[in-house]
Amino acid sequence: MAEGLRERKKRQTRQYISDVATGLFLERGFDAVTIAEIAEAAEVSVNTVYNYFPAKEDLFFDRSKGLLDRLSRFVRGRAAGESAAAAVLRELREEVEAVSPRVGLIEGYDRFMRVVHGASALKARLWYMQHEIHANLEQTLREETGAPATDPLPGLMAGQIGWVHQSLMGWIAQQMIEGRKPAEASREALVLLDEMEELLGEKVLNYAVRAGD
C-alpha cells in the first residue's frame, strides 16, 4: 500500500528529530542534552518530541529497533538441515564478511559506543535490550521445537546462542573504540566466530535442526 502524505510527513518528522538528537548526543554526550534542546534544534515542540519518542533513550537507540528480533529472524529463516546456532553463526559471518554496519563495522561507531559508556541510562537500556533479545530468542526456540513452557532447554540454548552474538558485538565495539579500521577488524572477527563455534558443545550446535521437505 502506498504511503499517504500524512504518514510520509510523520515519518520524515520523526527521522529528522532522531537525526538532530543523534548529532547533539554525539557532540555533547547523552546526559548533557535535554529534550527541550532537541526540540529547539529540530524546530518542534517538546510535546512533539515526546509524541514520537516517549523516553530520551528511545531517541538514541532509534536505529536499533530491528535488533530485538534479530536472532529470532535468523533462526526462523534457517535452511532445511540447519540448526538454530548454525543459522545464527552463518548470518553473523555473512554480515562480518560484508563489513556491515549492522554488526558495528562502520567508521564512527566508536563515537556511538563512547556515548553509551558515558551514560548510565543508556547502559541500562542496552542491558534491557539484551534481555529482550534473549527472551524473544527463547520464545522462538520454544515455538520452533514445540517445547513445553516447563522445559528449560530453550532458555539455556538461547543463552548460549545469544552469547555468541553479544560477544561478537562487544568485541567489535572495543576494536572500533581502539581506532581499528572496519575492514581490518572484520577479518579478525571471522576468526573469533570460528573460535566461539568451537567452544559451543555439540548439543547446542545440533539443537533445533530444521527438518527437510
Side-chain angles (χ1 to χ4, degrees):
M1 185 179 297
E3 183 181 39
L5 179 61
R6 179 181 175 85
E7 288 72 23
R8 183 166 70 252
K9 177 65 174 176
K10 290 174 66 174
R11 176 177 56 79
Q12 290 171 342
T13 299
R14 187 184 195 282
Q15 187 63 58
Y16 181 65
I17 294 170
S18 173
D19 291 344
V20 168
T22 299
L24 291 172
F25 292 147
L26 292 176
E27 179 184 348
R28 295 166 49 196
F30 183 77
D31 293 332
V33 178
T34 67
I35 293 293
E37 289 172 325
I38 293 168
E40 181 180 2
E43 299 182 330
V44 298
S45 69
V46 169
N47 284 341
T48 297
V49 176
Y50 279 120
N51 284 340
Y52 288 103
F53 303 95
K56 195 165 82 164
E57 294 90 334
D58 296 325
L59 281 158
F60 187 81
F61 284 115
D62 184 42
R63 291 168 176 77
S64 304
K65 53 192 172 187
L67 187 63
L68 298 181
D69 66 343
R70 171 182 172 82
L71 299 186
S72 292
R73 284 186 280 108
F74 290 168
V75 169
R76 292 193 192 99
R78 70 196 187 282
E82 189 174 41
S83 71
V88 170
L89 284 162
R90 173 179 53 75
E91 292 279 3
L92 291 177
R93 281 194 179 96
E94 289 176 0
E95 293 188 346
V96 169
E97 287 174 347
V99 195
S100 172
R102 288 191 293 270
V103 287
L105 290 168
I106 183 174
E107 297 286 351
Y109 190 63
D110 58 313
R111 297 178 64 200
F112 177 88
M113 290 309 303
R114 284 193 177 94
V115 176
V116 173
H117 291 165
S120 297
L122 293 180
K123 287 188 285 189
R125 174 60 71 90
L126 189 59
W127 178 89
Y128 177 78
M129 289 169 61
Q130 290 167 348
H131 175 77
E132 285 293 291
I133 292 170
H134 172 88
N136 289 339
L137 180 57
E138 177 180 353
Q139 182 60 30
T140 296
L141 292 174
R142 199 172 294 282
E143 292 170 357
E144 292 289 310
T145 61
T150 55
D151 187 351
L153 201 54
L156 296 174
M157 292 296 178
Q160 293 292 301
I161 296 171
W163 164 76
V164 172
H165 178 251
Q166 189 172 335
S167 296
L168 174 69
M169 296 296 290
W171 184 87
I172 289 175
Q174 186 58 42
Q175 300 309 301
M176 295 300 98
I177 288 172
E178 292 176 4
R180 302 286 299 283
K181 296 295 183 183
E184 180 185 5
S186 71
R187 293 191 292 272
E188 294 184 25
L190 289 172
V191 176
L192 182 69
L193 279 170
D194 288 343
E195 291 175 347
M196 286 193 285
E197 181 173 3
E198 290 178 4
L199 290 172
L200 295 176
E202 288 300 313
K203 191 169 185 178
V204 177
L205 293 171
N206 292 308
Y207 182 74
V209 174
R210 168 156 287 165
D213 296 333

